[in-house]
Amino acid sequence: MPLLEIRDLDVFYGEFQALRKVEMDVEKRQIVSLMGANSAGKSTLLKTISGILKPSAGTVKFDGIRIDCKEPHDIVDMGMALVPEGRKIFSSLTVRQNLLIGSYRSKARKKRRDTLETVFNLFPALKGRINQKGTELSGGEQQMLSIGRALMSTPCFIIFDEISLGLSPIVVKELYRAVKRINREGTTTVLVEQDVKRSLKVADYAYILQEGRITLKGNPRYFTEETVNKAYFGI
Ligand code: ATP
């Protein structure tokens, strides 16, 4: 049974249909990439998976349980975490405070000392800056903090939304190394990216969205540049 199973999903904003009959499976321990150009519907799909938007048709199951009518905090409690686009860290709070916010639900709170160690192990740069404010961090460190905060909820499933946006290639490489390590240590992973090359390289399976529909899916090893371009841009 897939950890995440999406069937026949339709999502609307008023009259406008943003997702059409979307189907997606994420098997346990996989890295799955979700790609698509601007306005393809990636954020809409993520918001629906995480309970912020409700679909008008279709189902989303997590670990066999329907979550399409559940609230976001209940979904977090089930073990799903989102690293949001644009990092969304609290700039007036310290690194430590930002991290602790990630463990506010009771299950995670009990383990937070150990989880903090895991996060510092993954991102030693954060440990040295524990009492600094979010604004004092570089873009890459802010992204690390955002990932660390998501890990503080002790997820079994993590979604990264555009982690490489606006960062230098060296930083992106480091972040991807962390993503792979998080996945190897047992957390099922979804990567939402516009950086097609990098994303396909690490993925076990990939989906391309175009205008609200899945236009290509499969093991990226078998994708060609031509099929990807067609699915991505429709040309
Ligand atoms: P990007 O990479 O630019 O973030 P995306 O693939 O995440 O794009 P979405 O943000 O999911 O795309 O948008 C899908 C479609 O839904 C777009 O046509 C967008 O204009 C529309 N849309 C998104 N949010 C709303 C909203 N709140 N109200 C109305 N339409 C919306």
Side-chain angles (χ1 to χ4, degrees):
M1 180 180 67
L3 185 55
L4 183 77
E5 184 191 280
I6 299 177
R7 291 290 174 269
D8 267 336
L9 200 71
D10 287 336
V11 178
F12 285 83
Y13 295 104
E15 300 270 287
F16 177 76
Q17 186 164 8
L19 294 178
R20 294 169 185 271
K21 300 266 169 281
V22 168
E23 310 232 325
M24 186 174 176
D25 283 336
V26 181
E27 302 290 341
K28 278 186 186 132
R29 294 185 165 258
Q30 273 186 334
I31 298 185
V32 170
S33 282
L34 171 66
M35 293 167 298
N38 285 330
S39 298
K42 303 180 298 297
S43 303
T44 304
L45 183 53
L46 294 193
K47 284 181 188 158
T48 313
I49 294 170
S50 51
I52 299 163
L53 286 175
K54 305 289 178 232
S56 61
T59 56
V60 182
K61 283 187 186 168
F62 184 58
D63 213 5
I65 297 166
R66 269 189 77 168
I67 57 166
D68 44 86
C69 37
K70 286 192 187 288
E71 293 307 314
H73 57 263
D74 292 324
I75 299 173
V76 172
D77 272 350
M78 290 173 77
M80 189 186 296
L82 174 69
V83 180
E85 185 182 348
R87 302 152 206 164
K88 309 275 174 1
I89 60 163
F90 299 98
S91 50
S92 61
L93 300 183
T94 64
V95 165
R96 185 188 179 80
Q97 287 166 330
N98 267 285
L99 289 172
L100 293 184
I101 282 173
S103 59
Y104 75 106
R105 307 287 296 177
S106 69
K107 255 195 244 162
R109 204 176 316 136
K110 287 180 199 136
K111 298 185 217 159
R112 80 184 179 188
R113 194 177 298 197
D114 288 345
T115 323
L116 258 184
E117 273 317 301
T118 312
V119 170
F120 290 145
N121 222 319
L122 190 64
F123 299 123
L126 291 182
K127 192 168 187 174
R129 295 176 166 268
I130 188 155
N131 292 317
Q132 282 184 272
K133 296 243 166 82
T135 40
E136 295 167 49
L137 305 182
S138 68
E141 287 164 345
Q142 289 185 8
Q143 188 59 271
M144 291 171 196
L145 180 55
S146 181
I147 296 172
R149 183 181 54 190
L151 292 176
M152 288 303 291
S153 70
T154 62
C156 62
F157 181 91
I158 188 164
I159 302 171
F160 297 95
D161 192 1
E162 309 262 4
I163 50 167
S164 40
L165 220 60
L167 298 173
S168 73
I170 283 185
V171 174
V172 173
K173 208 167 166 193
E174 195 180 340
L175 290 171
Y176 264 80
R177 212 177 294 136
V179 167
K180 280 191 268 183
R181 190 164 149 201
I182 291 164
N183 178 260
R184 255 200 326 271
E185 287 172 6
T187 311
T188 306
T189 306
V190 171
L191 273 174
V192 178
E193 269 293 2
Q194 291 200 27
D195 184 339
V196 173
K197 266 205 186 120
R198 194 174 290 277
S199 180
L200 287 180
K201 217 167 126 191
V202 298
D204 300 302
Y205 205 86
Y207 291 86
I208 298 186
L209 259 180
Q210 188 194 127
E211 293 178 4
R213 293 176 209 276
I214 301 285
T215 47
L216 185 66
K217 62 176 185 176
N219 183 325
R221 258 192 304 166
Y222 305 114
F223 289 0
T224 63
E225 206 172 318
E226 199 186 345
T227 53
V228 169
N229 280 341
K230 190 159 192 315
Y232 201 92
F233 300 110
I235 48 163

